[in-house]
Structures are given as C-alpha cells and as structure tokens.
C-alpha cells in the first residue's frame, strides 16, 4: 500500500529546479520533504488530501516543457502481472505464457514461422498466401501466357485493312 502523503513526479525536464517544484507544489499544501533525482522527484505532504489535490491538478500537465506524471509514490501505472489472453509465446507459439517462461526447447536460431533451423522468418520458404500453389508451370510469365484470353484468338487482318488507303 503506497504512502498516501508521498507523491512521485516523473518525466521532469532537465531545467526543472528544486525551488520551482517547491513553489508550484506548495500551492496544494505544506510540504514535509522534497527529494529531486535526475528526471524525477518525490514530495511528501503533511496531509494525504494535499497529495491527492497535487495529483489531481498536476498529473499529465506540461511543466518546464515536459509532460509530467504525478502519482502516489510506489505505484506503477503500467505494471503487468503476466501475459494477456492474446499474447503468444515467441518460442513455442502457444498462448498463455511468454518466451521467458516457456517450458519447450529454446527456439533461438530457428524460424518463428515454420520452426526450422537455418533461416529466419524473413527468408522463410513457407507459403505466404493461403491459396494452393499450382506447380504445372515453372515461371510466372508462362502462367500469364497460358491464362491470356488473347493467346488462342485467331489473328485477323481486318483491323489493318480498315485503315489502308
């Protein structure tokens, strides 16, 4: 449980000074302690309601050219406990866990698409399309010639005769 009187201020600009923080955050109540690190700070108020007011008014504001985070100290916004239902393991391609928790054999050096060693996904020869491949023709140009509706059409000279004088 975080201390309700102590707040964390993150993403501070390099040009932010201690006296500026003290001046601006003292508007919300009496400050007992102020600690500034490189790009973050901790402020402890005398009353938890003062800390709550500071969080409400200062969180996500632009301060000295940087959008700051203001929250209770010890609280993490993006803390994830585990994989989500749509997360898939990069090692075995199964949902429900991450690669660092995978019980399967390590797949480093193997293709993530087909699972074989010796190449990576970008160079994988596995089919990228869902349609079956037709192996009757060897090159794409030959396929186009076979499928062309004009290849079997009789050639006529009528077109040329119309324009002759």
């Amino acid at each position: 449980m975080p201390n309700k009187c102590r707040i964390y201020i993150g993403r501070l600009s390099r040009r932010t000074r201690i006296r500026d923080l003290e001046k601006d955050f003292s508007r919300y109540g009496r400050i007992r302690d102020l600690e500034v690190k490189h790009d973050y700070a901790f402020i402890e108020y005398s009353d938890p309601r003062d800390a709550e007011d500071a969080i409400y008014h200062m969180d996500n504001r632009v301060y000295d050219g940087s959008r700051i985070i203001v929250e209770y100290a010890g609280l993490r916004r993006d803390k994830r406990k585990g994989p989500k239902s749509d997360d898939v393991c990069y090692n075995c391609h199964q949902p429900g866990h991450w690669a660092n928790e995978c019980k399967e054999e390590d797949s480093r050096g193997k293709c993530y698409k087909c699972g074989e060693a010796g190449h990576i996904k970008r160079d994988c020869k596995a089919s990228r399309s869902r349609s079956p491949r037709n192996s009757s023709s060897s090159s794409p140009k030959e396929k186009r010639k076979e499928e062309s509706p004009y290849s079997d059409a009789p050639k006529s000279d009528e077109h040329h005769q119309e324009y002759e004088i």
Side-chain angles (χ1 to χ4, degrees), residues 3-162:
N3 180 355
K4 295 289 184 179
C5 292
R6 188 171 167 88
I7 64 170
Y8 163 83
I9 304 152
R11 296 189 200 151
L12 287 174
S13 169
R14 290 183 183 204
R15 61 179 174 229
T16 302
R17 297 179 300 190
I18 295 173
R19 64 176 177 236
D20 295 335
L21 282 173
E22 190 172 15
K23 177 185 166 207
D24 293 332
F25 280 86
S26 65
R27 287 189 264 169
Y28 305 107
R30 190 168 78 76
I31 295 176
R32 290 173 56 188
D33 188 29
L34 172 62
E35 241 180 291
V36 178
K37 304 296 182 184
H38 296 286
D39 60 347
Y40 63 95
F42 294 101
I43 295 178
E44 188 171 350
Y45 286 97
S46 299
D47 189 356
R49 291 175 292 184
D50 299 338
E52 186 179 345
D53 290 343
I55 291 169
Y56 178 79
H57 291 287
M58 296 298 286
D59 185 34
N60 208 22
R61 293 188 122 201
V62 176
Y63 190 82
D64 274 342
S66 180
R67 188 167 298 278
I68 62 172
I69 297 171
V70 182
E71 60 189 22
Y72 289 112
L75 186 68
R76 300 276 191 260
R77 287 183 178 190
D78 296 324
K79 197 173 195 180
R80 290 179 65 181
K81 299 284 185 196
K84 292 183 179 178
S85 61
D86 58 343
D87 287 342
V88 176
C89 172
Y90 281 108
N91 190 33
C92 67
H93 307 290
Q94 298 297 318
H97 64 278
W98 289 326
N100 64 343
E101 303 164 342
C102 189
K103 305 269 191 265
E104 297 291 321
E105 182 183 327
D106 190 12
S107 71
R108 273 184 244 148
K110 295 181 182 178
C111 173
Y112 285 128
K113 188 169 188 178
C114 68
E116 293 185 18
H119 65 277
I120 59 175
K121 183 179 177 184
R122 179 181 57 202
D123 301 329
C124 187
K125 302 267 191 264
S127 175
R128 294 178 190 219
S129 67
R130 295 183 184 184
S131 62
R133 289 189 171 190
N134 185 0
S135 60
S136 64
S137 177
S138 60
S139 73
K141 284 185 179 179
E142 289 176 16
K143 277 187 181 180
R144 274 189 249 127
K145 285 181 183 176
E146 289 174 5
E147 296 172 0
S148 174
Y150 303 107
S151 62
D152 298 330
K155 295 180 180 177
S156 70
D157 294 328
E158 293 175 12
H159 184 270
H160 297 291
Q161 290 175 356
E162 288 179 19

